[in-house]
Amino acid sequence: MRVLVTGATGRLGRVAVPRLRDEGFTLRAMSRGPRTGDGVEWVTADLATGAGLAEAVAGVDAVLHLASSPQRRTHDIDVLGTRRLAVAAGHAGVRHLVFVSIVGVDRVPLGYYRHKLAAEQVVAAGPVAWSVLRATQFPEFLEGLLSGASRLGPVIGDRAVLAQPVDPGEVADRLAVLLLAGPSNRVEDFGGPEVLRYDEAARAWLAARRVRRPLLPVRIPGRLGRELRAGGLTTTATPTGVRTWADHLADTYGGTAGR
Ligand SMILES: NC(=O)c1ccc[n+]([C@@H]2O[C@H](COP(=O)([O-])OP(=O)(O)OC[C@H]3O[C@@H](n4cnc5c(N)ncnc54)[C@H](OP(=O)(O)O)[C@@H]3O)[C@@H](O)[C@H]2O)c1
């Protein structure tokens, strides 16, 4: 199966490209900048302008759409860019558009999530048969949050917020299953093997890095806080990934504590 992967240089894309290639998919990887390597064909295209998209989708059976821009021009790139991609894919006769979204986009009131939900709706209303996989947080993303939350010394955060980190390699494996299954025209969740409270995740992270810091509890107010504490970022869907937060920390920082 010939597959265009958007966002091939991102956190998920860097893991997905070699895995899918090794599973026998013929990949075309997309980036805004010229690239080579990884044993795949690279194309240059920009979702914000549409430049290069027609060439990128020409001759592929499926599109795996991972590209996203959470910090800037999110509406342009995630919502309108997804529409540009879907339309180009429709014109090219692509048979399946697989879109990666996030567990909780329909529950948790965050600006980025509103754009991701809108992008899901663009995919579902578009001209190409589709599948959506909503994943929970990647461990590297959770680490980024914890680093940001501890810039001032203590680890600041709402102790009762629930997270369910999932290994991006396992997300990539699930995406391969979806590609092979063909369009479901459904939204499916995929989460990590365990639900953790923020304070549990923070303590394990500090211990793995052999850092002693206090936790400074701050309750996130309003509906955002309520949804985050009620498990808005988690899912009971099966199958789940198997790699735990402790596995990620042990592989990153050494040691086996908590595994
Ligand atoms: N991070 C998480 O914890 C998490 C959890 C669940 C789901 N997801 C979803 O998984 C997907 C991948 O996330 P990630 O963390 O791997 O993202 P990332 O590391 O931020 O990578 C973003 C990718 O988007 C591409 N991109 C940005 N602007 C673009 C544009 N205008 N045109 C074309 N490509 C553009 C970038 O490619 P170039 O810079 O090479 O052009 C890059 O490869 C996203 O859809 C995200 O919402 C993420």
Side-chain angles (χ1 to χ4, degrees), residues 132-148:
V132 169
L133 187 71
R134 288 183 183 162
T136 54
Q137 324 71 53
F138 305 149
E140 296 82 357
F141 173 78
L142 191 50
E143 284 212 59
L145 277 183
L146 289 165
S147 295

Side-chain angles (χ1 to χ4, degrees), residues 6-14 30-33 35 42 45-49 53 65-70 72-73 76-78 81 99-103 105 112-113 116 133-142 166 168 171 190:
T6 77
T9 61
R11 192 176 283 141
L12 177 57
R14 284 194 301 270
M30 185 176 118
S31 170
R32 282 164 300 175
R35 306 231 169 204
W42 284 87
D46 191 338
L47 290 165
T49 61
L53 283 183
H65 183 26
L66 313 179
S68 179
S69 182
R72 48 186 295 277
R73 302 179 66 194
D76 255 8
I77 295 167
D78 284 63
F99 178 61
V100 174
S101 187
I102 306 174
V103 167
V105 289
Y112 177 50
Y113 283 16
K116 291 292 293 187
L133 187 71
R134 288 183 183 162
T136 54
Q137 324 71 53
F138 305 149
E140 296 82 357
F141 173 78
L142 191 50
V166 67
V171 174
F190 187 71

Side-chain angles (χ1 to χ4, degrees), residues 29-256:
M30 185 176 118
S31 170
R32 282 164 300 175
R35 306 231 169 204
T36 54
D38 288 324
V40 299
E41 176 193 0
W42 284 87
V43 285
T44 306
D46 191 338
L47 290 165
T49 61
L53 283 183
E55 295 79 4
V57 295
V60 299
D61 303 303
V63 173
L64 178 56
H65 183 26
L66 313 179
S68 179
S69 182
Q71 310 289 355
R72 48 186 295 277
R73 302 179 66 194
T74 308
H75 180 69
D76 255 8
I77 295 167
D78 284 63
V79 185
L80 302 181
T82 295
R83 181 170 297 142
R84 289 181 191 101
L85 179 69
V87 168
H91 282 140
V94 172
R95 290 200 294 272
H96 190 190
L97 174 56
V98 177
F99 178 61
V100 174
S101 187
I102 306 174
V103 167
V105 289
D106 52 344
R107 276 184 71 179
V108 178
L110 290 169
Y112 177 50
Y113 283 16
R114 276 191 285 275
H115 291 306
K116 291 292 293 187
L117 186 60
E120 285 186 4
Q121 289 160 353
V122 163
V123 167
V128 180
W130 55 277
S131 309
V132 169
L133 187 71
R134 288 183 183 162
T136 54
Q137 324 71 53
F138 305 149
E140 296 82 357
F141 173 78
L142 191 50
E143 284 212 59
L145 277 183
L146 289 165
S147 295
S150 55
R151 260 201 313 265
L152 301 176
V155 187
I156 301 169
D158 190 326
R159 285 189 292 208
V161 167
L162 299 177
Q164 191 178 355
V166 67
D167 178 69
E170 293 177 340
V171 174
D173 290 344
R174 189 70 201 155
L175 289 168
V177 171
L178 263 55
L179 280 166
L180 291 172
S184 68
N185 297 323
R186 282 187 49 234
V187 176
E188 175 182 317
D189 283 357
F190 187 71
E194 57 186 3
V195 173
L196 296 169
R197 280 170 51 115
Y198 181 81
D199 53 357
E200 291 176 300
R203 279 198 197 92
W205 178 70
L206 290 168
R209 295 163 62 246
R210 297 165 192 86
V211 171
R212 292 171 75 88
R213 296 271 180 92
L215 301 188
L216 179 62
V218 174
R219 201 175 159 79
I220 300 174
R223 187 160 86 83
L224 176 62
R226 279 198 301 280
E227 291 290 357
L228 293 173
R229 288 186 293 273
L233 298 179
T234 67
T235 177
T236 54
T238 53
T240 66
V242 299
R243 278 179 54 78
T244 62
W245 178 233
D247 289 333
H248 165 79
L249 293 173
D251 289 345
T252 308
Y253 300 106
T256 54

